[in-house]
Amino acid sequence: MKRVFIIAEAGVNHNGSIALAKKLIDVAVEAKVDAVKFQTFKAEKLVSKNAQKAQYQKKNINDRDNLQFNMLKKLELDLETHHELISYCKEKNIMFLSTPFEHDSIELLSDLSLEIFKIPSGEIINLPYLRHIGKLNKKVILSTGMADIGEIEDALDILVEAGTSKEDITVLHANTMYPTPICDVNLRAMVTIGNTFDIAFGYSDHTLGIEVPIGAVAMGASIIEKHFTLDNTMEGPDHKASLEPDELIAMVKAIRNIEMALGSRVKKPTPSETPNIAVARKSIVASCDIKKGDLFNEDNLAIKRPSNGISPMRWDEVIGTVATRDYSEDDLI
């Protein structure tokens, strides 16, 4: 099985601080994820000045300012910061990723030679944006929160027509509520996406805890994305729906165990259980003393452990045959 690609989503949980962003990278490295991901945007290009915050954002930020613009302006990462964080990730041997939210940010990340472009759920209906990323001919991860199957199809068509190979696209099932209620996860829809489009699939998780992404891996997810923070009591739009460091470590460990447990599709004895065959399976034995020349029958034969005699599957072959020597009780036939 191909190794699950785990993305630790720092997002905007750096709260505008480079020092905090580097601490988040350190946590991602300690957790042994494959990549740490931030968000790249210019507030002026992303939202209008009167766009309102989402309800969960209003709830998670203790101020009376309900405008997205003012919130996002404080969370921008400039070009110099990108260079610094990319350099730090290289030093720590972890992949740097960031989600662009508008055209200037797509160009910024392209100029920085990012290997993978992550499309956030909100842009799945943004034709010019999708076409822009599609023309880059990079590996693409497409999140599908709030989308139906027809909108996913349209987005994929745009990406492919723009120049991105379908083999380079992974579609993530997602729900954009922070946190996502368990009853709204619908993990089976993730598999539906993969089957419908014959495409690689994964899961971007916004639930509390680590159970759901682990379940997604068991169902075949090739990519897992999960928000994390240093402390989920910090103020900010996403902290409360993010894993703390020890939880991120536990999630990664569980995912690696699950992908190892998925193993092979071939059903046969494994090396660890092969020694148990001799002691757990049974053989045909004498249930009483049997004299040479006696006929074997259901009264003088039994089936008992161990299994180094004649298999009980040959019971019908043995019944009615003649004993060629004397047997004591429990002797293997």
Side-chain angles (χ1 to χ4, degrees):
M1 178 183 174
K2 188 177 178 181
R3 182 179 169 92
V4 176
F5 190 76
I6 304 176
I7 302 171
E9 168 76 81
V12 294
N13 284 344
H14 51 77
N15 286 3
S17 163
I18 295 178
L20 188 54
K22 288 182 176 180
K23 288 181 181 179
L24 287 164
I25 292 170
D26 290 339
V27 168
V29 170
E30 183 183 1
K32 300 179 180 178
V33 301
D34 297 290
V36 58
K37 188 172 76 66
F38 293 89
Q39 295 179 5
T40 302
F41 54 83
K42 288 292 185 183
E44 291 85 354
K45 301 292 181 80
L46 176 56
V47 294
S48 61
K49 296 289 178 59
N50 58 358
Q52 295 288 301
K53 293 176 183 174
Q55 285 301 317
Y56 76 86
Q57 293 170 338
K58 294 177 182 178
K59 183 178 180 181
N60 292 344
I61 301 176
N62 295 317
D63 62 30
R64 295 182 180 180
D65 184 355
N66 289 326
L67 297 179
Q68 281 194 50
F69 178 86
N70 296 333
M71 172 188 71
L72 293 171
K73 191 64 183 173
K74 301 172 186 175
L75 300 171
E76 290 179 350
L77 300 175
D78 60 21
L79 178 59
E80 183 180 346
T81 302
H82 278 78
H83 279 294
E84 190 168 346
L85 294 181
I86 289 171
S87 177
Y88 193 72
C89 283
K90 286 180 179 177
E91 179 186 324
K92 296 291 183 175
N93 197 30
I94 189 171
M95 182 183 290
F96 172 92
L97 294 177
S98 191
T99 299
F101 281 81
E102 26 69 30
H103 293 284
D104 288 357
S105 294
I106 294 173
E107 285 302 310
L108 184 152
L109 294 177
S110 180
D111 291 343
L112 292 171
S113 302
L114 258 67
E115 299 177 39
I116 301 171
F117 275 73
K118 166 67 192 302
I119 297 173
S121 292
E123 306 307 322
I124 197 169
I125 59 161
N126 186 341
L127 189 152
Y129 173 101
L130 294 169
R131 187 175 286 155
H132 191 165
I133 286 185
K135 288 179 179 178
L136 299 176
N137 194 22
K138 298 276 191 175
K139 291 187 181 297
V140 172
I141 299 172
L142 174 66
S143 269
T144 61
M146 305 175 290
D148 60 32
I149 205 75
E151 290 169 333
I152 298 171
E153 182 176 19
D154 290 343
L156 289 173
D157 287 345
I158 293 164
L159 290 168
V160 171
E161 288 169 9
T164 297
S165 168
K166 181 181 173 184
E167 287 68 34
D168 285 335
I169 302 172
T170 302
V171 182
L172 301 189
H173 176 52
N175 181 300
T176 57
M177 177 52 69
Y178 292 68
T180 299
I182 292 293
C183 61
D184 283 348
V185 170
N186 297 326
L187 271 185
R188 289 189 178 97
M190 177 186 72
V191 180
T192 297
I193 291 168
N195 291 340
T196 300
F197 302 109
D198 188 25
I199 201 163
F201 61 87
Y203 177 61
S204 179
D205 186 49
H206 299 124
T207 64
L208 298 176
I210 66 174
E211 299 95 333
V212 178
I214 294 166
V217 170
M219 293 175 69
S222 61
I223 293 178
I224 292 294
E225 179 182 78
K226 182 75 172 178
H227 280 263
F228 76 109
T229 180
L230 297 182
D231 182 348
N232 61 24
T233 65
M234 296 173 71
E235 185 167 305
D238 298 340
H239 290 287
K240 286 184 174 57
S242 300
L243 296 180
E244 292 193 335
D246 58 340
E247 295 174 303
L248 182 65
I249 291 169
M251 185 192 79
V252 174
K253 183 177 180 181
I255 286 173
R256 296 304 178 214
N257 284 339
I258 288 296
E259 67 182 350
M260 191 184 304
L262 286 171
S264 170
R265 293 179 181 272
V266 177
K267 176 56 182 171
K268 64 179 183 179
T270 64
S272 63
E273 69 178 346
T274 298
N276 294 335
I277 292 174
V279 295
R281 289 187 170 185
K282 297 176 179 177
S283 303
I284 300 174
V285 301
S287 62
C288 58
D289 291 342
I290 300 173
K291 299 296 183 182
K292 180 179 179 179
D294 288 350
L295 291 179
F296 292 127
N297 57 56
E298 294 185 359
D299 293 328
N300 60 17
L301 295 180
I303 296 171
K304 297 182 181 181
R305 294 175 176 177
S307 70
N308 53 333
I310 296 174
S311 168
M313 294 299 286
R314 298 181 64 189
W315 178 262
D316 289 346
E317 298 176 42
V318 174
I319 295 296
T321 60
V322 177
T324 57
R325 65 174 180 84
D326 292 342
Y327 292 92
S328 299
E329 183 179 358
D330 283 344
D331 282 351
L332 294 170
I333 301 301

